């Protein structure tokens, strides 16, 4: 028996040595080695928790380049940086911070598309003093790390978003107000004394996975306290890509071979899915996403239950970077938005999640199949449909990560309550 196990282990090692492995796959092999030495009486879920608690977050592959936005950048420049680099958010660096500044003095906060969406919603309200025709531009605080400050939800108008004409955003982006709006220096942070929640390189992989799942963070900065700078930023998409690269490893196959229903996915019943109808204003989609704290929303055909497309928070960029594509529409509905953006992308960008249409799956698919689909399509969510194409559920990256690990009792201790006091409306 021992010889057989040794033979299997040797075969696995030989196979691994003979084939090139990505950095993510090599990380998965660390988990594999730890998996093999766990106590046999532990459940598979407990084994995974123990494995991830033994690996420092510094082991995660470093992103190719860290994108940062300077504190004196305009809103227009910030939008371009996020769009061009295909990222959801970026840290804001204080241009006046000394070279030897600590990370809390070097960074001001985080700019993300969620905050930019709120800014757009405020400009679209008829009573807003910050309309495109306003002669005086003023500095405007963008939401930091999911928290709303000057762009607060309470400042938004009625329940339904305003209908905008096809030339509204072209007028907005060409106005002096838009050009002069700044990523302000007094941007609010997520915590009372820190610009954002971050991990040290010595924190564990388990801590990072829990923050990206149970605690709803889209990304986690990892700090190098020595030079006071961000060493890495790990996103939910990065974790899903790592899992996709672990195909063939025993620990991943034992978990990934399970059907979605076996691990409790989807978690949401059809009647609780937040949707927008195709004839509603596109801003209603972004308003619902912001109000419900979700990153995407399906567009449903009028009078039916079938989805014709998906709008995500990152798609708000197309209202500001390509405002002229809507000029032929009397009003920008959710359907018009999807059509205009797809036509634009077909001409300017051949590979985009929006060109893939509505990505769906069935309940009997496996976790591995879903992970590979999410990774290859570079999307944040997939919709469960029945045989007739009607919506039955939604599964996000966060949902999958939350099924990979669990939070042990008392794991964080005073990590949130004492060390990092949270404001009342923080998302964590």
């Amino acid at each position: 028996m021992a010889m057989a196990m040794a033979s299997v282990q040797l075969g696995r090692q030989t196979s691994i040595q003979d084939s090139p492995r990505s950095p993510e796959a090599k990380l998965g092999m660390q988990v594999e080695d730890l998996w093999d030495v766990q106590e046999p009486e532990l459940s598979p879920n407990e084994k995974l928790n123990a494995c991830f608690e033994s690996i420092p977050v510094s082991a995660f592959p470093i992103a190719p380049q860290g994108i940062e936005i300077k504190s004196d950048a305009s809103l227009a420049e910030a939008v371009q940086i996020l769009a061009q680099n295909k990222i959801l958010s970026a840290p804001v660096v204080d241009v006046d911070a000394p070279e030897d500044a600590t990370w809390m003095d070097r960074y001001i906060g985080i700019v993300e598309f969620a905050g930019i969406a709120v800014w757009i919603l405020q400009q679209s309200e008829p009573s807003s003093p910050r309309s495109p025709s306003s002669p005086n531009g003023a500095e405007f605080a963008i939401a930091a790390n999911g928290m709303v400050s000057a762009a607060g939800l309470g400042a938004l108008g009625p329940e339904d978003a305003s209908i905008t004409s096809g030339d509204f955003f072209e007028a907005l982006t060409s106005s002096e107000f838009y050009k002069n709006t700044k990523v302000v220096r007094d941007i609010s942070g997520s915590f009372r004394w820190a610009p954002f929640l971050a991990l040290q390189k010595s924190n564990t992989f388990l801590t990072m996975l829990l923050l990206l799942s149970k605690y709803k963070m889209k990304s986690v900065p990892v700090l190098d306290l020595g030079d006071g700078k961000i060493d890495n930023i790990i996103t939910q998409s990065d974790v899903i890509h790592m899992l996709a690269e672990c195909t063939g490893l025993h620990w991943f196959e034992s978990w990934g071979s399970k059907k979605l229903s076996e691990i409790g996915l989807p978690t949401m019943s059809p009647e609780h899915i937040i949707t927008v109808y195709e004839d509603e204003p596109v801003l209603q989609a972004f308003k619902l996403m912001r109000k419900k704290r979700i990153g995407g929303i399906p567009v449903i055909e009028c009078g039916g239950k079938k989805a014709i497309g998906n709008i995500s928070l990152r798609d708000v960029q197309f209202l500001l970077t390509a405002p002229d594509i809507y000029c032929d529409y009397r009003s920008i509905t959710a359907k018009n938005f999807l059509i205009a953006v797809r036509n634009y992308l077909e001409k300017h960008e051949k590979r985009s999640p929006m060109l893939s249409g509505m990505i769906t799956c069935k309940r009997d698919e496996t976790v591995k199949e879903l992970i590979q689909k999410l990774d290859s399509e570079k999307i944040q969510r997939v919709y469960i449909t029945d045989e007739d194409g009607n919506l039955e559920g939604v599964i996000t990256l966060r949902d999958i990560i939350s099924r990979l690990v669990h939070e042990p009792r008392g794991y964080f201790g005073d990590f949130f309550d004492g060390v990092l006091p949270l404001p009342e409306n923080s998302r964590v």
Side-chain angles (χ1 to χ4, degrees):
M1 181 70 175
M3 289 185 65
M5 287 293 292
S7 176
V8 171
Q9 186 76 1
L10 179 60
R12 179 169 67 86
Q13 290 176 349
T14 301
S15 174
I16 288 172
Q17 291 171 355
D18 290 344
S19 60
R21 308 290 291 190
S22 67
E24 291 81 7
K26 290 178 180 177
L27 180 57
M29 289 159 56
Q30 290 186 43
V31 179
E32 183 91 330
D33 293 337
L34 291 166
W35 175 277
D36 291 339
V37 299
Q38 295 302 315
E39 296 294 333
E41 64 268 16
L42 293 178
S43 68
N45 191 249
E46 290 171 329
K47 280 187 177 183
L48 278 179
N49 253 42
C51 291
F52 288 126
E53 194 171 6
S54 301
I55 300 176
V57 74
S58 59
F60 201 93
I62 302 292
Q65 63 180 106
I67 305 300
E68 298 179 337
I69 296 175
K70 294 181 179 180
S71 58
D72 58 356
S74 68
L75 173 60
E77 290 170 332
V79 171
Q80 286 292 344
I81 290 171
L82 295 178
Q84 290 174 2
N85 291 280
K86 296 180 172 59
I87 52 178
L88 292 171
S89 61
V92 180
V93 181
D94 188 344
V95 294
D96 294 326
E99 185 62 31
D100 60 350
T102 66
W103 73 275
M104 285 187 288
D105 293 326
R106 182 183 305 277
Y107 298 101
I108 296 177
I110 288 182
V111 171
E112 59 178 14
F113 278 126
I116 294 170
V118 174
W119 183 88
I120 287 178
L121 288 167
Q122 287 200 325
Q123 310 322 306
S124 70
E125 292 179 1
S127 60
S128 173
R130 297 178 292 273
S131 64
S133 60
S134 176
N136 297 315
E139 287 190 335
F140 189 80
I142 298 174
N145 205 22
M147 177 185 171
V148 179
S149 52
L153 283 173
L156 295 180
E159 185 69 20
D160 294 331
S162 303
I163 295 209
T164 51
S165 62
D167 60 357
F168 174 85
F169 291 101
E170 194 167 13
L172 174 63
T173 54
S174 62
S175 68
E176 288 303 311
F177 167 69
Y178 176 71
K179 296 173 183 177
N180 294 330
T181 297
K182 298 291 184 181
V183 178
V184 295
R185 302 178 57 78
D186 59 344
I187 187 170
S188 297
S190 286
F191 304 100
R192 293 187 183 125
W193 58 266
F196 44 74
L197 172 61
L199 295 179
Q200 299 180 37
K201 296 168 74 172
S202 59
N203 285 122
T204 72
F205 220 83
L206 178 60
T207 300
M208 178 266 292
L209 292 174
L210 289 172
L211 291 177
L212 291 176
S213 56
K214 180 177 179 179
Y215 292 94
K216 304 182 182 179
M217 294 182 67
K218 300 290 186 184
S219 61
V220 178
V222 181
L223 295 168
D224 185 335
L225 295 182
D227 61 10
K229 296 180 180 179
I230 293 175
D231 183 67
N232 198 10
I233 296 180
I234 304 173
T235 67
Q236 293 174 341
S237 296
D238 292 334
V239 172
I240 294 300
H241 177 63
M242 183 210 80
L243 293 174
E245 290 290 296
C246 292
T247 299
L249 296 175
H250 174 65
W251 70 268
F252 177 76
E253 294 294 336
S254 66
W255 177 71
S257 61
K258 297 179 184 296
K259 293 188 176 182
L260 298 174
S261 56
E262 291 183 71
I263 63 170
L265 294 178
T267 60
M268 188 181 298
S269 57
E271 59 270 19
H272 290 115
I273 301 176
I274 308 300
T275 64
V276 64
Y277 285 107
E278 61 182 356
D279 60 348
E280 290 187 87
V282 68
L283 291 184
Q284 181 67 0
F286 293 113
K287 193 162 192 175
L288 285 171
M289 281 186 262
R290 197 66 192 106
K291 181 179 180 181
K292 301 296 183 180
R293 304 284 184 176
I294 55 178
I297 192 168
V299 180
I300 306 298
E301 63 182 6
C302 293
K305 296 182 179 179
K306 293 182 180 179
I308 64 168
N310 174 78
I311 298 176
S312 67
L313 268 177
R314 77 164 67 223
D315 297 331
V316 76
Q317 65 181 281
F318 297 114
L319 293 176
L320 300 176
T321 59
D324 56 313
I325 65 177
Y326 316 103
C327 59
D328 292 335
Y329 296 107
R330 190 167 65 177
S331 63
I332 311 176
T333 64
K335 182 179 180 179
N336 291 342
F337 176 79
L338 289 175
I339 293 172
V341 171
R342 285 171 183 165
N343 290 338
Y344 171 80
L345 290 172
E346 285 174 356
K347 296 177 182 177
H348 297 86
E349 187 176 339
K350 298 303 181 184
R351 180 171 175 79
S352 170
M354 285 198 76
L355 290 177
S356 302
M358 192 75 176
I359 307 298
T360 63
C361 71
K362 305 298 182 185
R363 289 178 181 271
D364 60 355
E365 290 190 24
T366 66
V367 177
K368 180 171 74 171
E369 290 171 335
L370 179 56
I371 286 174
Q372 291 172 337
K373 182 178 295 187
L374 288 165
D375 183 52
S376 64
E377 297 289 346
K378 305 304 178 189
I379 53 178
Q380 305 286 314
R381 64 194 47 76
V382 67
Y383 294 97
I384 308 293
T385 58
D386 61 19
E387 296 301 324
D388 296 323
N390 296 316
L391 279 182
E392 286 194 334
V394 58
I395 300 176
T396 65
L397 305 185
R398 176 198 165 210
D399 293 332
I400 295 174
I401 300 171
S402 70
R403 292 301 186 270
L404 183 65
V405 294
H406 66 275
E407 181 180 354
R409 181 183 296 275
Y411 180 76
F412 280 104
D414 64 355
F415 189 74
F416 297 123
D417 298 331
V419 179
L420 293 173
L422 298 175
E424 183 177 326
N425 62 345
S426 171
R427 87 161 86 177
V428 177

